[in-house]
């Protein structure tokens, strides 16, 4: 399995300028190659090959006065930019053939894009120094904050600059799967908005709502941005402040997803979730809350961590009626409005929590052996039958209650302990063999 390890970079002033130059040169080569291929397509000609584009747009372009500054950066960075264009075209055509989700056609890059990246391979002779710095060709030794050890020696490194002006180095490496000790526990997960996750064992995990909590600061930062003149340095500074606030929110959400997904994978042998229509929900009035929850990122983490740790991951269909079926008896009694959070099964009389019942049904739909006892199911109050009402005292043949008076009958007052009101009888729980 391939995993990405990302670490924070702290380049100094000259190093930031050198990285900006590398980002710009890689972007120019990418756009030149895209323009050459689109021109060939419009003219009905064959696409130029990567080798021909490398010779034309890199080797020969360096000798011209207009593109002489391409020689100020590593040639490997420019060649990898052409590889990125090949990958973009391959993904686009594979999407048209149905081999992968559909993607848009490659587009021209801009210096104003939120993300800038360059990649160095072993041919560029980059290295990690004994002092822990990242040595990059024609850039220098850049300080890195290592948060963990690398499991093996990487062959490539990607340097990224995000919208908040932060720099990262990213390593993609092949690692061996580390299987965890087996356990008998299994869990079904129902994802929601009021509670982020509801487990089939009855556990409810509150939704952190990181974006909602940061709205006040974001509102102030965006108001300051809107007051700045376009094209000014003050506007650039205000834009970076907004981007940093969004980055903090995204980082906090990602950390929450990682901690929760790791905990669930470690404690359970099998995990089942529902395939939610996130794109459809994002077009409703709940769009901001749906994006704030980040269900897709969380389920993706569960899936790859399960594969890495030897666990089983199930994703059931989105049309499974998990909220319409009683987890105790399996009877389906139709859809229910969202404001109904607790309901009573008309068949068995069980009182069900809507979310926990759905989590149990998610696990059962995935074929996991989950009992409904964890769904907070309890028998409801069922009216007793007419022949069962009342209590017979020893030697008394009449049904205890308020005696009906007729004609010359005397009023008889029964013993206080023998009086059972009709309302009390109607509320007596009846055993149903559960």
């Amino acid at each position: 399995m391939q995993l990405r390890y990302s670490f924070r970079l702290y380049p100094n002033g000259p190093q930031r300028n050198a990285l900006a130059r590398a980002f710009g040169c890689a972007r120019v080569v990418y756009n030149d190659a895209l323009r050459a291929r689109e021109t060939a397509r419009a003219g009905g000609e064959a696409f130029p090959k990567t080798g021909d584009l490398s010779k034309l747009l890199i080797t020969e372009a360096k000798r011209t006065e207009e593109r002489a500054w391409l020689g100020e950066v590593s040639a490997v960075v420019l060649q990898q930019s052409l590889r990125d264009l090949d990958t973009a075209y391959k993904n686009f055509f594979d999407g048209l053939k149905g081999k992968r989700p559909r993607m848009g056609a490659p587009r021209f890059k801009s210096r104003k894009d939120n993300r800038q990246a360059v990649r160095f391979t072993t041919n560029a002779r980059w290295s990690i120094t004994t002092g822990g710095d990242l040595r990059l060709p024609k850039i220098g030794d850049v300080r890195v904050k290592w948060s963990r050890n690398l499991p093996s020696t990487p062959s490539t490194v990607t340097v990224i600059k995000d919208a908040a002006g932060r720099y990262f180095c990213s390593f993609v490496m092949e690692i061996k799967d580390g299987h965890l000790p087996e356990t008998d526990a299994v869990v079904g997960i129902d994802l929601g908005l009021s509670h982020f996750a509801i487990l089939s064992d009855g556990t409810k995990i509150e939704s952190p709502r990181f974006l909602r909590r940061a709205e006040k600061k974001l509102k102030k930062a965006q108001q300051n941005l809107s007051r700045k003149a376009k094209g000014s340095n003050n506007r650039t500074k205000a834009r970076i402040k907004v981007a940093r606030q969004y980055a903090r929110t995204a980082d906090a959400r990602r950390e929450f997803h990682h901690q929760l997904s790791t905990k669930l994978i470690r404690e359970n042998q099998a995990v089942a979730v529902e395939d939610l229509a996130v794109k459809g929900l994002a077009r409703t009035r709940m769009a901001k809350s749906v994006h704030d929850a980040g269900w897709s990122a969380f389920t993706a983490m569960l899936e790859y961590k399960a594969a890495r740790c030897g666990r089983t991951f199930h994703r059931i269909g989105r049309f499974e009626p998990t909220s319409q079926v009683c987890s105790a008896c399996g009877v389906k009694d139709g859809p229910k409005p969202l404001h109904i959070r607790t309901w009573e099964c008309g068949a068995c009389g069980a009182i069900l929590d809507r979310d926990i019942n759905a989590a149990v049904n998610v696990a059962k739909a995935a074929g996991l052996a989950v009992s409904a006892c964890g769904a907070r199911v309890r028998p409801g109050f069922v009216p007793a039958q007419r022949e069962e009402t009342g209590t017979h005292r020893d030697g008394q043949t009449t049904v205890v209650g308020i005696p009906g008076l007729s004609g010359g009958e005397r009023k008889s007052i029964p013993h206080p302990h023998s009086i059972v009101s009709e309302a009390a009888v109607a509320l007596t729980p009846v055993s149903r063999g559960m």
Side-chain angles (χ1 to χ4, degrees), residues 29-43 45-49 52-53 56-57 85 89 108:
V29 171
Y30 183 95
N31 290 342
D32 288 345
L34 178 58
R35 187 178 296 106
R37 288 188 169 177
E38 289 300 310
T39 302
R41 182 187 64 83
E45 302 175 0
F47 268 24
K49 296 181 179 179
D52 297 336
L53 291 176
L56 176 65
L57 302 178
L85 180 61
Y89 270 111
F108 290 99

Side-chain angles (χ1 to χ4, degrees), residues 105-118:
R107 65 169 184 83
F108 290 99
K109 293 185 178 182
S110 170
R111 62 183 180 87
K112 296 182 180 181
D113 288 343
N114 292 334
R115 184 180 183 273
Q116 304 282 348
V118 291

Side-chain angles (χ1 to χ4, degrees), residues 374-418:
R376 295 181 189 173
V377 179
R378 63 180 177 88
F381 294 113
V382 182
Q385 300 298 322
R386 173 68 64 181
E387 60 272 11
E388 297 176 346
T389 58
T391 303
H392 295 277
R393 298 184 63 187
D394 295 338
Q396 184 177 349
T397 58
T398 59
V399 177
V400 175
I402 300 178
L405 302 179
S406 63
E409 285 185 340
R410 296 179 57 188
K411 266 187 184 178
S412 60
I413 301 177
H415 193 275
H417 295 290
S418 65

Side-chain angles (χ1 to χ4, degrees), residues 124-328:
R125 297 181 181 179
W126 68 273
S127 61
I128 300 175
T129 65
T130 55
D133 293 339
L134 182 63
R135 179 168 296 170
L136 300 174
K138 297 189 177 182
I139 294 176
D141 297 348
V142 186
R143 186 165 64 91
V144 185
K145 185 176 182 180
W146 302 100
S147 56
R148 66 180 72 181
N149 295 326
L150 295 175
S152 60
T153 302
S155 59
T156 63
V157 57
T158 304
V159 179
I160 304 167
K161 180 184 178 183
D162 65 2
R166 302 179 301 177
Y167 293 85
F168 297 90
C169 60
S170 176
F171 307 91
V172 177
M173 289 174 289
E174 190 78 23
I175 65 169
K176 297 181 180 179
D177 296 340
H179 292 273
L180 296 175
E182 293 188 2
T183 177
D184 296 331
V186 295
V187 66
I189 305 174
D190 180 64
L191 300 176
L193 294 178
S194 58
H195 292 87
F196 176 77
I198 300 92
L199 310 185
S200 56
D201 61 0
T203 304
K204 292 188 176 182
I205 301 170
E206 293 292 335
S207 179
R209 301 182 180 181
F210 296 105
L211 182 60
R212 295 290 186 181
R213 287 160 47 187
E215 276 186 332
K216 188 175 181 180
K217 293 182 179 179
L218 283 169
K219 179 181 178 181
K220 184 177 180 180
Q222 288 171 336
Q223 284 177 343
N224 292 336
L225 173 62
S226 65
R227 297 188 181 105
K228 301 298 185 291
K230 291 186 178 180
S232 64
N233 290 334
N234 287 335
R235 185 177 179 85
T236 302
K237 295 176 183 178
R239 183 196 60 79
I240 292 177
K241 288 183 179 180
V242 173
R244 285 179 178 173
Q245 187 60 46
Y246 275 109
R248 292 191 193 100
T249 303
D251 291 344
R253 183 187 300 112
R254 190 181 305 110
E255 181 70 13
F256 169 73
H257 288 167
H258 272 297
Q259 291 181 357
L260 180 58
S261 59
T262 300
K263 181 177 183 295
L264 293 174
I265 292 299
R266 285 178 178 175
E267 295 178 353
N268 299 278
Q269 185 65 32
V271 178
V273 297
E274 187 177 4
D275 184 19
L276 297 173
V278 178
K279 289 185 178 180
L281 292 172
R283 291 193 292 265
T284 64
R285 59 184 178 84
M286 301 181 296
K288 183 179 290 187
S289 298
V290 170
H291 287 303
D292 192 12
W295 294 327
S296 296
F298 175 70
T299 53
M301 290 181 186
L302 283 175
E303 187 171 8
Y304 89 78
K305 290 181 181 180
R308 179 186 178 188
C309 300
R311 302 305 199 197
T312 305
F313 178 81
H314 300 277
R315 193 192 297 269
I316 70 169
R318 64 185 60 173
F319 299 107
E320 197 73 27
T322 56
S323 297
Q324 304 178 24
V325 177
C326 174
S327 58

Side-chain angles (χ1 to χ4, degrees), residues 299-366:
T299 53
M301 290 181 186
L302 283 175
E303 187 171 8
Y304 89 78
K305 290 181 181 180
R308 179 186 178 188
C309 300
R311 302 305 199 197
T312 305
F313 178 81
H314 300 277
R315 193 192 297 269
I316 70 169
R318 64 185 60 173
F319 299 107
E320 197 73 27
T322 56
S323 297
Q324 304 178 24
V325 177
C326 174
S327 58
C329 63
V331 173
K332 180 180 177 181
D333 58 357
K336 304 164 190 64
L338 287 177
H339 69 272
I340 297 179
R341 310 313 302 174
T342 304
W343 55 284
E344 178 182 354
C345 177
C348 66
I351 305 299
L352 303 169
D353 182 285
R354 180 191 183 108
D355 297 327
I356 302 178
N357 177 74
V360 174
N361 287 330
V362 166
K364 288 185 176 181

